[in-house]
Amino acid sequence: MTDTVADTETAPSSPPAPRSSIVGTRRVGDTVFLGLSTTAAVSIMLILAGVAIFLILRGLPAITANWSEGDLAGYQNGAWTNFWDYVGPLLFGSIWAALIAMVIGAPVAIGIALFISHYAPRKVAGALGYIVDLLAAVPSIVFGLWGIIVMRPLLLPVSDFLNEYLGWIPLFQGPVSTTGSTMFTGGVVLAVMILPIVTSITREIFLQTPRLHEEAALALGATRWEMIRLAVFPYARSGMVSATLLGLGRALGETMAIALIISPSLIYSVLLLTDGYNSQTIAANIALNFPIATDLQRSALIGTGLMLFVVSLAVNMFARYIIAATGPGAKGRKKGKRS
């Protein structure tokens, strides 16, 4: 009897469930997922390296060529002595057009994101967010046609107003265009084109603000705007900067809208309201001249694309630096380094 009781006490109540199959399944799934994610990461690096190598190899002949003779002599009606003289105005025009778009579009995009996340009713916010995201699906050529047909005549009175009352500022000097084919119109269209990417990112970041932070600010007597200024903006600062820089990258690479709207020249110019004084962008210049270029001239165009690639890469690296320096946990990392 005692033996039976002892056996009963020492024996397990139930046999352990076989876990070998579950562990094996998990291990296989983990292995497959690790392989897929690693392959995706490596493929991104390989594609980026492949693009860089292609641009360097194809652009190098024009970069090292003598621009005083051959197909490059007087290319695009310019007395270029070397590649850098040629790419300089194009690089300036690309950055200038993108900056105009950011100055106009970034505040509007952040305002839309703030309205959707903290002011609009839920149904209105959902519909408005869907409409803004839908703008990302509109092709560039459609934006260009919209800029030609709608925005050019619509902005002519605005151009006259800016020239009349703000003509003492160098940006708004010069004879006002009668057609609207100006950098001002191109910048406005680019600003609309970057709205989806900046708005969507900032909206999601605003929604991720800890609810307790917002409720604490309201409990201390803050108004809704004070709560946003004290709780939402500090938390979302790095995300807002990164979203703006991603929009800048989109504006830098835009092609068809600028090619259709502005009347460009290969010059350094900050004038916004005049015809014939609009700096050409790299992307638009490639689109317009690549089909009719010779081999060496195509090499020059690819070389300008290499410069745009470097600038875009620098913008993205700067965005990552801003996120690391000002994002959540940045203060903790700085304290850890000091200690």
Side-chain angles (χ1 to χ4, degrees), residues 11-222:
S13 59
S14 61
R19 300 179 60 188
S20 59
S21 60
I22 299 176
V23 173
T25 303
R26 288 179 179 175
R27 287 177 178 173
V28 171
D30 290 343
T31 303
V32 172
F33 179 77
L34 177 62
L36 291 175
S37 58
T38 303
T39 302
V42 172
S43 59
I44 288 295
M45 299 301 296
L46 291 177
I47 292 172
L48 187 64
V51 171
I53 292 172
F54 166 79
L55 292 175
I56 292 173
L57 294 180
R58 295 298 300 270
L60 196 60
I63 295 175
T64 58
N66 182 7
W67 283 62
S68 300
E69 58 186 23
D71 293 340
L72 297 177
Y75 182 49
Q76 292 185 242
N77 299 321
W80 319 112
T81 59
N82 52 57
F83 172 79
W84 306 109
D85 289 342
Y86 171 69
V87 76
L90 294 170
L91 195 58
F92 171 82
S94 299
I95 297 175
W96 179 233
L99 288 178
I100 295 170
M102 296 311 303
V103 170
I104 298 174
V108 176
I110 294 174
I112 294 173
L114 190 61
F115 176 78
I116 293 174
S117 61
H118 286 82
Y119 286 95
R122 181 171 299 179
K123 292 183 179 180
V124 176
L128 186 58
Y130 177 76
I131 292 172
V132 173
D133 292 338
L134 192 62
L135 287 176
V138 179
S140 300
I141 188 69
V142 175
F143 277 110
L145 295 174
W146 172 69
I148 293 174
I149 299 172
V150 178
M151 295 307 297
R152 286 201 308 182
L154 187 64
L155 292 177
L156 286 178
V158 180
S159 300
D160 293 332
F161 174 84
L162 293 174
N163 180 259
E164 181 177 357
Y165 294 100
L166 298 177
W168 51 273
I169 301 176
L171 300 179
F172 308 117
Q173 291 179 355
V176 179
S177 171
T178 58
T179 62
S181 298
T182 62
M183 187 64 76
F184 177 57
T185 305
V188 171
V189 174
L190 279 183
V192 176
M193 296 180 69
I194 67 172
L195 283 180
I197 184 171
V198 180
T199 301
S200 61
I201 295 176
T202 51
R203 178 188 64 201
E204 295 302 322
I205 294 171
F206 288 157
L207 291 174
Q208 291 176 9
T209 304
R211 187 66 179 174
L212 290 177
H213 293 186
E214 299 180 359
E215 293 177 350
L218 294 173
L220 291 174

Side-chain angles (χ1 to χ4, degrees), residues 305-328:
L306 175 62
M307 299 300 105
L308 183 60
F309 177 84
V310 172
V311 171
S312 300
L313 184 62
V315 168
N316 283 276
M317 292 177 64
F318 182 68
R320 297 299 303 175
Y321 171 77
I322 293 295
I323 295 173
T326 62

